[in-house]
Amino acid sequence: MKKLSENHQYKLATLTYLATACRLLGKNSEAIELYERVRDVQVKQVGADHPSCLTTIWCLANANEVAGNLPEAADLFKKAATGFEQREFQDADAVLAIRSLIKVYEKMNEFEQEEAWRRKWLVVQETVEASPPKSHTPPRSPYYLPPS
């Protein structure tokens, strides 16, 4: 039987699901390690600014938040949110990143940062309401990679 390479999308999918299961079971260190593996492969294959990689960064941030690593979680949530911002918030997972970043800033009593991101998000919501996008971009699975 042929083994799948580390960067095969089915293996990345399995690693992502395993990381999520670990997080839900409270095995936060293992979840973080698995999400980091997936992120590292995605960065090499599609780049850190690809929507799938941004979603994986969000998952990694979430695992860090659950583990109590709030400064690390804030840095990762900000990286994901900034990436989606550079893509003009066109990806459905942008809302997850923004809401999570705001929540972690609130937990850390970083109210100026929280307010700044709430204002950014308000502008996005007003823009979308005024001129809805022509097509909806569905949320991507964090392990999605375009066919090679």
Side-chain angles (χ1 to χ4, degrees), residues 28-123:
N28 299 316
S29 296
E30 189 174 354
I32 289 168
E33 288 175 24
L34 291 167
Y35 283 131
E36 287 174 340
R37 270 176 70 184
V38 173
R39 180 212 46 206
D40 293 347
V41 170
Q42 289 176 325
V43 166
K44 289 176 187 171
Q45 286 190 337
V46 296
D49 59 344
H50 189 277
S52 296
C53 190
L54 295 172
T55 299
T56 299
I57 291 168
W58 173 82
C59 290
L60 176 58
N62 190 37
N64 273 279
E65 180 186 8
V66 170
N69 306 328
L70 293 183
E72 178 69 14
D75 288 345
L76 290 163
F77 281 137
K78 185 175 180 181
K79 183 179 280 191
T82 301
F84 285 121
E85 180 183 28
Q86 290 171 350
R87 298 178 55 79
E88 298 180 354
F89 302 105
Q90 293 300 308
D91 300 281
D93 288 341
V95 68
L96 298 173
I98 304 304
R99 286 180 181 167
S100 299
L101 178 61
I102 289 168
K103 182 178 73 172
V104 82
Y105 278 148
E106 188 176 284
K107 283 182 180 180
M108 295 172 62
N109 296 323
E110 296 282 344
F111 300 119
E112 289 180 13
Q113 294 290 341
E114 174 196 1
E115 178 193 17
W117 277 96
R118 284 188 188 278
R119 289 184 184 281
K120 283 182 187 187
W121 192 240
L122 179 61
V123 169

Side-chain angles (χ1 to χ4, degrees), residues 6-18 20 35 38-39 41-42 45-46 50-57 59 93 139-147:
E6 182 71 14
N7 58 0
H8 192 281
Q9 76 179 51
Y10 293 151
K11 186 163 185 179
L12 293 175
T14 301
L15 288 171
T16 299
Y17 287 131
L18 179 59
T20 300
Y35 283 131
V38 173
R39 180 212 46 206
V41 170
Q42 289 176 325
Q45 286 190 337
V46 296
H50 189 277
S52 296
C53 190
L54 295 172
T55 299
T56 299
I57 291 168
C59 290
D93 288 341
R140 295 186 193 271
S141 299
Y143 54 85
Y144 171 81
L145 290 173

